[in-house]
Amino acid sequence: MMGYEEDGEFNMVDSSFNGRKLSLLMPRPITSPNNNTSIITPTTPFLNHIHANDFFSQYHHHHDHSRRDQFNVVPPVVVSSRWNPTPEQLRALEELYRRGTRTPSAEQIQHITSQLRKFGKIEGKNVFYWFQNHKARERQKRRRQIASSVADHGDHHHHDSDTPEKKELGNTPCIIYSQFMKNDTLSIFLYPL
Amino acid sequence: MMGYEEDGEFNMVDSSFNGRKLSLLMPRPITSPNNNTSIITPTTPFLNHIHANDFFSQYHHHHDHSRRDQFNVVPPVVVSSRWNPTPEQLRALEELYRRGTRTPSAEQIQHITSQLRKFGKIEGKNVFYWFQNHKARERQKRRRQIASSVADHGDHHHHDSDTPEKKELGNTPCIIYSQFMKNDTLSIFLYPL
DNA sequence: GCAAATTAATGATTTATTCAAG
DNA sequence: CTTGAATAAATCATTAATTTGC
């Protein structure tokens, strides 16, 4: 009934470290701007084919991510067991999705990964899984919407007090499919029960 | 966006004055406790089905809304062009939201509306719009929090002029047969077109 | 204190998406 | 490939909150 996954939660499948979940070794530095920290060394970069008028160029800004590498005096660093996209990465991925990318090819994944690495730690599998999960969750979100709007028929479940039993209000028994107000006219689409 | 309306005939109330937006006729009576005032006569009440263990029962207190009808000596009355929830209505809606209601079905909307009408003028579409707006704004509030807490890569880009023109990444003309991740290796089977 | 002026909230509409049925 | 269904995002518009000058 709730659970909107776009609120920053990405339950990426993680097979790092032989699939074992990593635990937090240190208290989390909450104020850290980039929480994609990890003790894992970055993966070897893929080929880096850049197109001048690439989509990513709009998200590209120069930033220094090498400081921590130069001085290995790592501050209280957090072991993140799973990748979490930075806002830029997330925006880019969502934009790609919006533009139609659903199941990127290997080349696309490599390209996307290499571009998004500028915004933070990321691996090809993260991109791969992001699209898999995002596609699946968009679909299941749609399914839930349909189910909750159309069903309500055979679903005589345990609703809490906030969901009443169906009652005959003084109206025709039908559900409203959609409706909108336009030019002082209310249009209602009804679906008789 | 689609709206919601449970009863067309009562909609005639709102389409008075030929549906034009209503303007303020008098200075606003600021101290009025129930500001859902209108020159429109109150709508005829619906059936009043009450569940003993209903969520709304805790908010149900008797109020007299008929006084103004008895004495048609209407005080400086304001024409409100849009619904404004009473404190009780607002509390009830927020409680429903807190308990998980996000996109209420037609039946739920009707029920909520009929219950909240005890606290003042309200229509189904108000409930519908309220949940839409509340859900959207809670989400964007949370998004902003995440973005501001994580964002350090400042978006100094003010690109209104340089709109991206690239439509898609360079697609290799092939379809993906299957893909899976195993032992940190992404395997993709491509099928050239 | 009090309204006019201004700003912040929020109700109501419009627009752009999504999946999937045809 | 096109279109139906149903939003959720973006936007518009009005109301409330507040600031400000007397």
Side-chain angles (χ1 to χ4, degrees):
Chain A
M1 187 167 272
M2 35 204 315
Y4 285 84
E5 68 286 353
E6 49 207 329
D7 289 340
E9 186 190 1
F10 290 90
N11 293 318
M12 293 296 161
V13 178
D14 189 22
S15 56
S16 306
F17 303 99
N18 297 323
R20 270 182 269 300
K21 295 287 171 64
L22 300 179
S23 57
L24 202 62
L25 297 182
M26 286 285 208
R28 185 179 314 219
I30 315 172
T31 56
S32 173
N34 188 354
N35 52 10
N36 279 341
T37 53
S38 170
I39 58 171
I40 311 300
T41 39
T43 58
T44 310
F46 287 133
L47 331 174
N48 212 345
H49 38 97
I50 299 177
H51 300 210
N53 54 355
D54 219 351
F55 158 73
F56 294 101
S57 52
Q58 63 175 317
Y59 288 113
H60 187 202
H61 303 289
H62 250 342
H63 289 292
D64 186 13
H65 290 290
S66 61
R67 243 180 322 146
R68 191 161 55 247
D69 298 339
Q70 302 174 12
F71 313 98
N72 207 359
V73 198
V74 287
V77 150
V78 153
V79 177
S80 179
S81 68
R82 68 184 200 187
W83 170 74
N84 209 30
T86 68
E88 292 91 345
Q89 286 172 343
L90 183 58
R91 249 180 297 152
L93 290 170
E94 285 174 340
E95 179 66 11
L96 287 172
Y97 188 89
R98 200 184 61 74
R99 295 189 186 190
T101 302
R102 291 294 181 278
T103 308
S105 65
E107 288 85 359
Q108 286 178 295
I109 289 178
Q110 291 186 2
H111 182 236
I112 294 167
T113 304
S114 66
Q115 296 298 313
L116 293 188
R117 185 164 294 126
K118 293 159 187 163
F119 303 130
K121 178 175 154 57
I122 191 173
E123 291 178 65
K125 64 181 182 182
N126 304 134
V127 174
F128 173 80
Y129 286 139
W130 188 91
F131 278 99
Q132 293 256 104
N133 286 321
H134 196 70
K135 181 171 55 178
R137 282 166 185 155
E138 286 294 317
R139 187 173 304 159
Q140 90 183 98
K141 187 200 296 182
R142 173 69 38 177
R143 288 227 166 91
R144 267 194 305 251
Q145 288 174 355
I146 293 174
S148 66
S149 66
V150 173
D152 270 331
H153 300 300
D155 206 15
H156 295 286
H157 45 304
H158 54 72
H159 263 332
D160 300 82
S161 52
D162 64 77
T163 305
E165 300 299 324
K166 188 173 65 175
K167 281 261 169 49
E168 92 297 339
L169 298 175
N171 293 332
T172 311
C174 57
I175 65 174
I176 294 177
Y177 243 35
S178 75
Q179 102 168 338
F180 57 91
M181 176 80 69
K182 185 168 189 174
N183 295 334
D184 299 330
T185 301
L186 177 66
S187 302
I188 308 181
F189 294 93
L190 298 171
Y191 201 6
L193 292 177
Chain B
M1 182 37 150
M2 292 158 303
Y4 175 89
E5 185 54 47
E6 78 276 13
D7 197 339
E9 61 200 63
F10 288 106
N11 231 8
M12 294 305 161
V13 171
D14 276 348
S15 55
S16 310
F17 304 99
N18 295 324
R20 281 188 228 350
K21 295 289 167 66
L22 302 178
S23 57
L24 201 63
L25 298 182
M26 285 287 210
R28 186 173 311 160
I30 316 170
T31 56
S32 174
N34 187 355
N35 49 13
N36 281 341
T37 51
S38 170
I39 60 171
I40 313 300
T41 38
T43 57
T44 313
F46 285 133
L47 331 173
N48 219 345
H49 42 90
I50 298 177
H51 289 203
N53 55 355
D54 218 353
F55 159 73
F56 296 99
S57 53
Q58 61 176 314
Y59 288 113
H60 186 23
H61 304 290
H62 251 343
H63 288 294
D64 186 14
H65 292 289
S66 62
R67 239 178 328 143
R68 194 163 52 246
D69 297 341
Q70 303 173 12
F71 313 97
N72 206 0
V73 199
V74 286
V77 151
V78 147
V79 177
S80 179
S81 70
R82 75 181 201 189
W83 169 73
N84 210 28
T86 68
E88 293 95 342
Q89 287 171 343
L90 186 57
R91 245 181 300 148
L93 290 170
E94 285 173 342
E95 179 65 12
L96 288 172
Y97 186 90
R98 203 184 59 74
R99 293 189 187 187
T101 301
R102 292 293 181 276
T103 307
S105 66
E107 288 85 358
Q108 287 177 292
I109 289 177
Q110 290 188 3
H111 182 240
I112 294 168
T113 303
S114 66
Q115 296 299 311
L116 293 188
R117 187 163 293 126
K118 292 159 189 160
F119 305 129
K121 175 174 155 59
I122 191 173
E123 292 177 64
K125 65 179 182 183
N126 305 134
V127 174
F128 177 85
Y129 289 143
W130 190 91
F131 277 99
Q132 293 283 329
N133 283 320
H134 197 70
K135 178 170 57 177
R137 280 160 183 159
E138 285 293 314
R139 176 177 350 208
Q140 88 183 117
K141 190 192 303 178
R142 201 166 306 148
R143 270 210 182 122
R144 265 198 292 264
Q145 287 176 356
I146 293 175
S148 65
S149 69
V150 176
D152 157 51
H153 310 205
D155 297 336
H156 350 298
H157 62 357
H158 204 292
H159 61 82
D160 280 333
S161 55
D162 57 347
T163 44
E165 40 298 85
K166 197 65 190 297
K167 205 68 170 118
E168 244 305 325
L169 297 175
N171 280 329
T172 309
C174 60
I175 64 173
I176 292 179
Y177 230 43
S178 74
Q179 53 185 344
F180 59 91
M181 175 73 66
K182 186 169 186 176
N183 294 335
D184 295 330
T185 300
L186 174 67
S187 302
I188 304 182
F189 292 94
L190 300 173
Y191 203 4
L193 291 177

